[in-house]
Amino acid sequence: LLFLLSDINLNSPNKALGVDRTDSLSDVPVEGAMGNPANPPPPGLTEEEAEELRTELTKVEEEINTLRQVLCAKERHAAELKRKLGLNPLNELRQNLTRSWQDVQTSNAYLSASATLDDITHSDAYKKTQETLSQAGQKTTAALSTMSTALSKKIGDMRYSLFPLPLSLQYKVVGQRGNGDAVSSPTDTTPTQENPSF
């Protein structure tokens, strides 16, 4: 199924693959190739010149069709070879991307831009800007941390002052001691042995 294109005569599309294809192509209508007898030739052309151009157009369109068929056969053959070699589209894409990235890295534009960027990053202005931004970031982080801590404390204080826990819930949260006595909390108002009720 290997085709050689070396003997293709572009002036004779029927011999493209070394096979006489006169019968298969002659039955295929080609759009625009045949003139309409009701239409006169374009201005400046005689009927003979128009017919000659139509004939040439027919030949060129036949050549295009033949080349499409050859290309299609070549693409099928290449796909079959790739399949046999274990190449799949993903591996091929990966190889193409790697090759393209290597080409970019060795291009003059990339090397020039890289050198310019290197010069910029080593300049005094860049270093001073980087230090200033770093210090500003550290100060902002510290300020936000302090503000966050204060805000969390304030919200916690507000929550307990607005919504105190009921005694039964405090008892469940704090739990019991091993001997059956409840653990007292700072807000506990229940009487204990040390503080008997009268």
Side-chain angles (χ1 to χ4, degrees), residues 137-158:
Q138 290 171 355
K139 289 179 181 178
T140 302
T141 301
L144 290 174
S145 177
T146 303
M147 188 174 74
S148 174
T149 302
L151 189 59
S152 294
K153 184 178 182 311
K154 189 66 174 176
I155 290 173
D157 292 347
M158 288 174 51

Side-chain angles (χ1 to χ4, degrees), residues 123-139:
S123 70
D124 289 337
Y126 178 83
K127 289 178 183 176
K128 288 179 184 177
T129 303
Q130 185 181 22
E131 289 172 13
T132 303
L133 291 175
S134 177
Q135 290 172 358
Q138 290 171 355
K139 289 179 181 178

Side-chain angles (χ1 to χ4, degrees), residues 14-194:
N14 297 331
K15 297 181 181 178
L17 300 175
V19 177
D20 184 13
R21 301 176 57 98
T22 53
D23 57 340
S24 64
L25 289 178
S26 60
D27 296 334
V28 177
V30 179
E31 285 186 37
M34 297 304 294
N36 188 346
N39 289 338
L45 290 178
T46 65
E47 184 62 42
E48 291 173 356
E49 291 172 329
E51 187 58 37
E52 187 178 313
L53 290 175
R54 285 186 201 109
T55 303
E56 186 176 347
L57 178 60
T58 301
K59 286 175 64 177
V60 169
E61 288 178 341
E62 287 175 354
E63 290 172 3
I64 290 170
N65 285 332
T66 301
L67 291 173
R68 280 187 183 137
Q69 292 170 357
V70 170
L71 179 61
C72 186
K74 290 288 186 182
E75 287 174 341
R76 281 193 304 267
H77 185 65
E80 180 66 21
L81 292 174
K82 286 178 184 178
R83 187 189 62 75
K84 287 180 180 178
L85 289 171
L87 299 175
N88 61 31
L90 184 59
N91 287 340
E92 197 172 336
L93 177 63
R94 188 178 300 131
Q95 290 172 352
N96 288 341
L97 288 175
T98 301
R99 204 173 311 120
S100 296
W101 178 241
Q102 289 171 348
D103 291 345
V104 166
Q105 287 180 319
T106 58
S107 70
N108 289 336
Y110 180 85
L111 295 174
S112 174
S114 179
T116 302
L117 184 60
D118 194 42
D119 291 345
I120 290 171
T121 57
H122 289 92
S123 70
D124 289 337
Y126 178 83
K127 289 178 183 176
K128 288 179 184 177
T129 303
Q130 185 181 22
E131 289 172 13
T132 303
L133 291 175
S134 177
Q135 290 172 358
Q138 290 171 355
K139 289 179 181 178
T140 302
T141 301
L144 290 174
S145 177
T146 303
M147 188 174 74
S148 174
T149 302
L151 189 59
S152 294
K153 184 178 182 311
K154 189 66 174 176
I155 290 173
D157 292 347
M158 288 174 51
R159 180 176 43 175
Y160 289 119
S161 67
L162 294 175
F163 305 107
L165 293 174
L167 292 177
S168 62
L169 190 56
Q170 285 180 3
Y171 177 77
K172 289 180 183 176
V173 170
V174 175
Q176 289 187 342
R177 292 187 184 163
N179 59 4
D181 294 337
V183 177
S184 61
S185 69
T187 60
D188 193 7
T189 58
T190 57
T192 62
Q193 291 289 6
E194 298 143 3

